Amino acid sequence: MAVNLRQLSALLGLSQTTVSRALNGYPEVNAETRKRVLAAVRETGYRPNRAAQRLATGRAYSIGLVMPIAAGMDSDIHFGEFLAGLAEEAVRHDFHFVINPAVPAEEEATFRRLAASGNVDALFIAYMRAQDPRIDILKSLSIPFIVHGRAIGGARDYPYIDIDNTGAFYDATRLLLQLGHRDFALINGPCDLTFAIRRKKGMERALGEAGILLDPALQEQSPMTDEHGYRAMQRFLSADRPPTAVLCSSTVLALGAVRAINQAGLVLGRDISLIAHDDVLPMLKPENFTVPLTTTRSSLRAAGTRVAQHLIGSVSRQQKTPIQELWKTELIVRASTGAAPARCARPVRSA
């Protein structure tokens, strides 16, 4: 049977106040004492009484999210994977996770109401938009927060975790250029989201260095579902000069794109090459496609875990400075990329 705070304190020869302060990250408790307390917690299975702790500390031991909802807004398995990582870390520290839905026009009021309620100790936001007004709102609330992603423009003095989306699609495009491709297409996420803006920027930068413009008719920006990927690829393949190289912002989009390629009787990796951004989704592994996909890889679950670590550290006072992390992606080459077909296998101009 797990011990209570009084029993744990007696076992350690410490006051209940000292043990409580050690568990809550108060800086006046030295590192050696905190280490002893945490070791005893693991050995005894002690679980803090959150109701009592809330009364004593004024903390809710909860992380909050305001989730935009609207008619026609698709659910997103990518966000589910991110939340899984965040939830796993929250459970490890006995934190709760509070989701407050709001229509986009009421996000600001919902943030303020949630912060004022005392039901959460920290907030995070995701799916960043250019010039995103939510950052200034959170900065005004005097509550720890972090951004998954980055805005474009405006102040940069806020904590964030993001991946180098520009670099990811720059590197992917360079690989395809080195394979001789000259006719490119892009199946991207929604045009107002900054990850999609930056991925397009990285692709266009690499193409520009090779003297190539991305044809507006060979671009799609839409919700990241397999159906959107399928329809976009069908449209591209019916063009007067179809692409031989395609970048997809998700393996979910790639699933639909590959379906259209197969229906057209084309061979992936020979007739047309494809690179997808892969968020390491457990039920959609790029290596399990009939033709394994080349990917730019970054784990959404790991990002969710890191966001939780930062917020919990901020709440418990173990982390004193805001973090800004920009993660590089891995470029993993598989069979979906190959040399360009003869019709466009021309030398690429060096940068």
Side-chain angles (χ1 to χ4, degrees):
M1 181 180 293
V3 300
N4 58 32
L5 179 61
R6 179 181 58 78
Q7 293 167 327
L8 181 65
S9 301
L11 178 66
L12 290 164
L14 299 170
S15 70
Q16 294 183 40
T17 299
T18 298
V19 172
S20 179
R21 286 179 176 272
L23 291 172
N24 287 292
Y26 281 80
E28 59 266 31
V29 179
N30 65 53
E32 184 59 34
T33 298
R34 181 175 290 108
K35 184 177 179 180
R36 282 183 60 212
V37 170
L38 293 177
V41 166
R42 288 191 294 270
E43 291 171 4
T44 62
Y46 169 74
R47 300 277 291 183
N49 183 323
R50 283 305 192 205
Q53 281 191 322
R54 181 169 182 174
L55 288 172
T57 66
R59 296 177 188 163
Y61 298 93
S62 296
I63 296 169
L65 162 70
V66 174
M67 177 176 286
I69 58 169
M73 185 177 289
D74 293 317
S75 60
D76 189 344
I77 66 171
H78 306 87
F79 196 49
E81 185 67 5
F82 173 86
L83 290 181
L86 189 147
E88 287 171 356
E89 187 67 14
V91 166
R92 286 185 61 242
H93 295 273
D94 202 20
F95 266 63
H96 299 294
F97 183 41
V98 177
I99 298 178
N100 200 141
V103 297
E106 296 179 3
E107 278 187 284
E108 177 176 352
T110 305
F111 272 120
R112 296 189 184 283
R113 188 164 55 249
L114 188 58
S117 71
N119 291 327
V120 299
D121 300 305
L123 295 163
F124 79 93
I125 54 176
Y127 289 108
M128 298 304 298
R129 305 181 287 266
Q131 304 288 347
D132 200 309
R134 295 176 296 172
I135 293 174
D136 286 338
I137 295 169
L138 289 175
K139 288 170 68 175
S140 73
L141 295 178
S142 300
I143 186 173
F145 75 93
I146 192 168
V147 175
H148 181 222
R150 290 169 295 153
I152 295 176
R156 298 183 180 180
D157 58 337
Y158 56 87
Y160 64 77
I161 294 170
D162 196 11
I163 66 169
D164 184 4
N165 287 292
T166 303
F169 270 40
Y170 176 87
D171 291 343
T173 305
R174 286 291 299 167
L175 171 63
L176 293 165
L177 288 166
Q178 290 162 6
L179 291 168
H181 292 275
R182 304 286 287 180
D183 296 298
F184 285 77
L186 171 64
I187 307 179
N188 205 357
C191 61
D192 62 324
L193 298 183
T194 57
F195 77 83
I197 295 170
R198 288 191 167 98
R199 288 176 191 175
K200 181 179 177 181
K201 177 182 177 182
M203 184 178 185
E204 290 181 328
R205 179 183 295 172
L207 292 177
E209 290 173 357
I212 299 172
L213 291 176
L214 182 60
D215 186 345
L218 297 179
Q219 301 178 43
E220 173 73 17
Q221 299 208 236
S222 64
M224 295 196 295
T225 68
D226 64 329
E227 186 63 24
H228 283 97
Y230 174 73
R231 292 176 183 174
M233 184 58 73
Q234 277 192 318
R235 178 166 61 85
F236 296 163
L237 293 177
S238 66
D240 291 338
R241 188 176 177 90
T244 65
V246 182
L247 266 65
C248 292
S249 264
S250 167
T251 47
V252 180
L253 287 168
L255 182 65
V258 170
R259 180 157 53 98
I261 290 169
N262 292 338
Q263 287 183 3
L266 300 175
V267 177
L268 187 62
R270 186 192 71 188
D271 301 316
I272 186 168
S273 290
L274 184 147
I275 299 178
H277 182 71
D278 169 37
D279 287 311
V280 199
L281 302 175
M283 292 182 288
L284 191 60
K285 296 182 180 297
E287 62 269 28
N288 292 340
F289 278 62
T290 303
V291 177
L293 298 184
T294 295
T295 59
T296 58
R297 170 172 287 188
S298 180
S299 170
L300 273 170
R301 187 174 290 245
T305 298
R306 188 69 185 101
V307 163
Q309 289 171 345
H310 165 75
L311 292 176
I312 292 168
S314 296
V315 171
S316 64
R317 304 180 185 179
Q318 294 171 356
Q319 186 167 303
K320 297 180 177 61
T321 57
I323 64 166
Q324 294 185 333
E325 295 182 7
L326 186 63
W327 296 2
K328 294 291 185 182
T329 61
E330 299 177 80
L331 180 58
I332 302 173
V333 180
R334 299 190 180 92
S336 70
T337 46
R343 71 176 171 94
C344 64
R346 293 175 281 172
V348 174
R349 190 178 72 193
S350 59

